[in-house]
Amino acid sequence: MSVVELENVSRWYGNVVAVNDISMTLQPGVTGLLGPNGAGKTTVLHMMAGFLAPSRGAVTIDNSPTWRNPGIYRSLGLVAEREAVHGFLTAYEFVLACAKMQKLPDPAAAAKRALDLVEMTSAQDRRIDTFSKGMRQRTRVAAALVHEPQVLLLDEPFNGMDPRQRMHMMELLHKLGDEGHTILFSSHILEEVEQLSGLVQVIVAGRLAASGDYRRIRRLMTNRPHVFAVQSSDDRRLAVALIGEKSVSGIEVEATGLTVRASDYGSFTRALPRIALGEGIRLRKLLPSDESLESVFSYLLEA
Amino acid sequence: MSTVAYITARGLFGRRRVLLLLPLPLLLVGLALICRAYDVSPDQWGQPVVVGLGLAVVLPVISLIVGTGVLGSEVDDGTIVHILTKPLPRRDIILAKLLVAAGVSAVTAAVPLFVVGVLADSVRFGLALVVGAVAGAIAYSALFLLLSLLTRRPVLLGLAYILVWEGLLGRFVSGTRVLSIEQYVISIADKIAPTGMLEGLVSVPVAIVMSVVFAVGGTIYAINRLGSFSVAGETS
């Protein structure tokens, strides 16, 4: 059982603050590191993996610092976002080399087991540069798992995987988490975390915006007001009709159309066509205007 | 052989870049053969071919291609991460890379130099060039390995060192010769087999001490730099 700890960690590049005073503790089990692109997830992962010195604060695994301490790699596996692999090696050669560099007592058996775990045994003798993105990803996971590390860090592990591979990877992470490994994976796609449904740490603009059970955070997000841009044949009359609808919490009438704020996404989108039909108004445009993940995350930051 | 050295060698010979190593030695030997075939006196072609091409171009450029290839290309494409996420002392990684780089450079440069040395003068001269080339390959490799950790453009910087520092400044500004590996190679080879072709501009003790300084200093610094190797995120 290993614990990864960040204590008041900040990291800046020149004038740019990438990570701002983050403290978190990762316990055994699966944790998702969520945030929009550029939020600092990779920076956090790199600091945990010993590839970046924190500008301030301390990053430790079981109380030993990760920076300038190659010894931690005995209990740490990393699947970096960049999918660079030694493409001139076959999958087996690559994983075997990793096992040897880990100085495992039986590298060949460890390599076979790791490849088996990610279902790459049938392709293990092909050169890695002939692989698809998903196969490469699985090979890299095998390489990171070959020494059965207590801590496994994965940066955007589901990128480029098809749904089946994705599900398999999630099952694998779950299994490892249940066995007592400490697993952290990053993602900018909230739905990916849904199935893993463990704990999440949400990072927005370099800060820890939310931390805890995924379902609680998910609820927070469904309660936030949704903003829609609406255009119709008669905006003002539509506004009058809409304000009587319970799920609408505010309307602005502008020259270009209406801006409607709804407290409940589902009931508003169901009510709108009904109301418009009843009033004989033709809808020309309906656009959810803040559905980008950035706005979801920034809502969390404000909450 | 360590796994790091194995992967490094596979990577080096697996890339098309390795073909770059062929033309220079062939050119060197080819020129010497042509001169011999036309019975040109070695007094006339010896110095330009051995020093002008062999020691000033072939040895450093081959060391540059290999020295920046063993680590620089892995840094470039990010595969270095797979080697760094292992509980290996950084010293072992650098030493394995240096061993491959120096070994490949030494063989690639020393063999044609030996042939040219024999054609120009004698077996003894050929062997002297081999010793010089090996010493030079080690010093150059340590330097270029270090450069690939210090800058994102190690090849450019290495070329500047070879062309500007050794080639240009070394000719006109005597002080720069103390930091010119080419000059060490010339002094060492000339000491072993004195001929009229090589003209050592630095003394032999200086050449030996400075070669060691380059090799050991560069290696230690490179080990230290690799220890704090950073991978910047997208935010940088």
Side-chain angles (χ1 to χ4, degrees):
Chain A
M1 302 274 175
S2 288
V3 177
V4 183
E5 207 162 4
L6 266 68
E7 226 183 292
N8 301 105
V9 172
S10 297
R11 168 74 209 197
W12 49 83
Y13 301 97
N15 288 334
V16 183
V17 180
V19 167
N20 194 346
D21 196 24
I22 288 185
S23 297
M24 63 168 87
T25 308
L26 302 178
Q27 304 283 356
V30 181
T31 306
L33 183 65
L34 279 173
N37 283 324
K41 300 186 298 287
T42 301
T43 306
V44 167
L45 274 167
H46 280 162
M47 287 194 286
M48 286 179 181
F51 279 112
L52 210 53
S55 305
R56 187 170 288 166
V59 184
T60 55
I61 293 181
D62 292 336
N63 296 322
S64 43
T66 58
W67 179 242
R68 282 190 79 100
N69 183 10
I72 59 157
Y73 298 119
R74 261 186 285 274
S75 54
L76 174 81
L78 171 72
V79 181
E81 191 187 14
R82 246 178 117 180
E83 50 175 309
V85 260
H86 296 86
F88 48 85
L89 299 174
T90 68
Y92 176 71
E93 286 173 329
F94 176 60
V95 178
L96 180 67
C98 288
K100 281 182 176 163
M101 288 191 279
Q102 287 286 354
K103 304 220 170 18
L104 300 180
D106 188 352
K112 285 225 162 65
R113 202 201 53 244
L115 285 162
D116 197 40
L117 205 60
V118 297
E119 292 180 0
M120 282 294 293
T121 313
S122 57
Q124 66 174 22
D125 293 320
R126 273 170 54 195
R127 280 165 59 107
I128 298 175
D129 36 14
T130 65
F131 284 174
S132 70
K133 210 171 166 180
M135 290 168 88
R136 262 174 218 228
Q137 188 78 303
R138 282 186 285 156
T139 310
R140 298 194 305 134
V141 172
L145 282 175
V146 74
H147 57 298
E148 302 186 58
Q150 276 304 307
V151 180
L152 182 64
L153 306 174
L154 307 102
D155 199 355
E156 301 276 353
F158 303 110
N159 272 359
M161 286 196 171
D162 64 36
R164 201 194 65 82
Q165 292 169 343
R166 204 175 276 223
M167 213 163 76
H168 176 244
M169 176 66 70
M170 285 183 185
E171 274 166 21
L172 178 65
L173 295 185
H174 251 312
K175 195 172 131 259
L176 292 168
D178 292 342
E179 284 169 8
H181 295 263
T182 305
I183 313 240
L184 179 73
F185 72 96
S186 77
S187 173
H188 63 279
I189 300 165
L190 286 158
E191 279 62 34
E192 279 184 351
V193 193
E194 207 152 28
Q195 283 119 318
L196 281 163
S197 75
L199 296 169
V200 293
Q201 309 276 353
V202 183
I203 295 183
V204 180
R207 287 166 190 272
L208 193 62
S211 152
D213 187 78
Y214 172 73
R215 276 160 295 224
R216 195 178 63 82
I217 294 169
R218 178 78 205 184
R219 217 170 305 129
L220 254 176
M221 278 164 26
T222 41
N223 289 345
R224 88 203 149 90
H226 298 265
V227 181
F228 295 90
V230 182
Q231 274 177 13
S232 68
S233 51
D234 191 341
D235 285 343
R236 202 161 281 278
R237 206 150 56 80
L238 181 66
V240 173
L242 279 178
I243 202 74
E245 165 64 33
K246 215 165 68 183
S247 60
V248 174
S249 57
I251 301 179
E252 277 165 42
V253 184
E254 284 154 26
T256 53
L258 301 175
T259 305
V260 182
R261 255 181 297 286
S263 56
D264 186 334
Y265 189 95
S267 34
F268 171 73
T269 46
R270 275 190 301 274
L272 179 67
R274 184 169 38 80
I275 292 169
L277 194 68
E279 296 288 325
I281 298 167
R282 185 181 292 269
L283 289 174
R284 296 220 174 91
K285 187 176 107 179
L286 172 64
L287 207 69
S289 54
D290 70 343
E291 278 312 284
S292 70
L293 275 171
E294 276 71 10
S295 76
V296 173
F297 286 125
S298 58
Y299 175 74
L300 279 178
L301 192 62
E302 287 158 21
Chain B
M1 191 164 64
S2 83
T3 312
V4 179
Y6 167 75
I7 293 182
T8 305
R10 283 280 303 262
L12 195 61
F13 292 110
R15 286 174 223 253
R16 212 165 295 159
R17 191 168 168 154
V18 74
L19 296 176
L20 288 173
L21 298 180
L22 281 176
L24 281 174
L26 291 179
L27 180 69
L28 188 63
V29 175
L31 271 179
L33 282 174
I34 290 171
C35 294
R36 276 295 286 247
Y38 286 94
D39 272 335
V40 185
S41 152
D43 296 338
Q44 284 182 319
W45 65 264
Q47 195 176 19
V49 172
V50 172
V51 180
L53 184 62
L55 299 183
V57 179
V58 176
L59 175 63
V61 169
I62 283 177
S63 304
L64 179 70
I65 294 170
V66 178
T68 55
V70 290
L71 187 61
S73 53
E74 284 187 343
V75 173
D76 264 355
D77 64 18
T79 49
I80 187 74
V81 167
H82 296 296
I83 290 174
L84 290 180
T85 48
K86 301 293 177 289
L88 301 168
R90 283 8 189 177
R91 184 194 64 225
D92 293 6
I93 298 176
I94 289 291
L95 287 180
K97 301 255 174 212
L98 184 65
L99 186 80
V100 173
V104 173
S105 312
V107 171
T108 317
V111 170
L113 277 171
F114 174 75
V115 175
V116 172
V118 173
L119 290 174
D121 189 79
S122 59
V123 174
R124 188 189 160 100
F125 184 53
L127 288 176
L129 288 177
V130 169
V131 174
V134 170
I138 295 172
Y140 277 125
S141 299
L143 175 67
F144 296 140
L145 200 67
L146 173 63
L147 279 187
S148 43
L149 285 169
L150 290 181
T151 156
R152 293 215 150 237
R153 310 217 175 288
V155 179
L156 196 71
L157 220 71
L159 267 182
Y161 173 76
I162 297 169
L163 296 176
V164 180
W165 186 271
E166 293 195 328
L168 199 68
L169 295 178
R171 211 160 291 164
F172 303 114
V173 188
S174 60
T176 61
R177 289 169 195 151
V178 184
L179 289 176
S180 162
I181 296 172
E182 182 194 341
Q183 296 301 332
Y184 314 154
V185 175
I186 293 176
S187 293
I188 291 170
D190 192 41
K191 172 76 183 170
I192 297 171
T195 57
M197 275 174 264
L198 302 184
E199 212 179 316
L201 296 172
V202 292
S203 72
V204 176
V206 168
I208 293 173
V209 169
M210 286 307 292
S211 301
V212 174
V213 167
F214 263 89
V216 176
T219 307
I220 291 174
Y221 193 27
I223 292 168
N224 188 41
R225 288 292 300 201
L226 193 68
S228 16
F229 186 84
S230 294
V231 180
E234 334 138 64
T235 25
S236 65

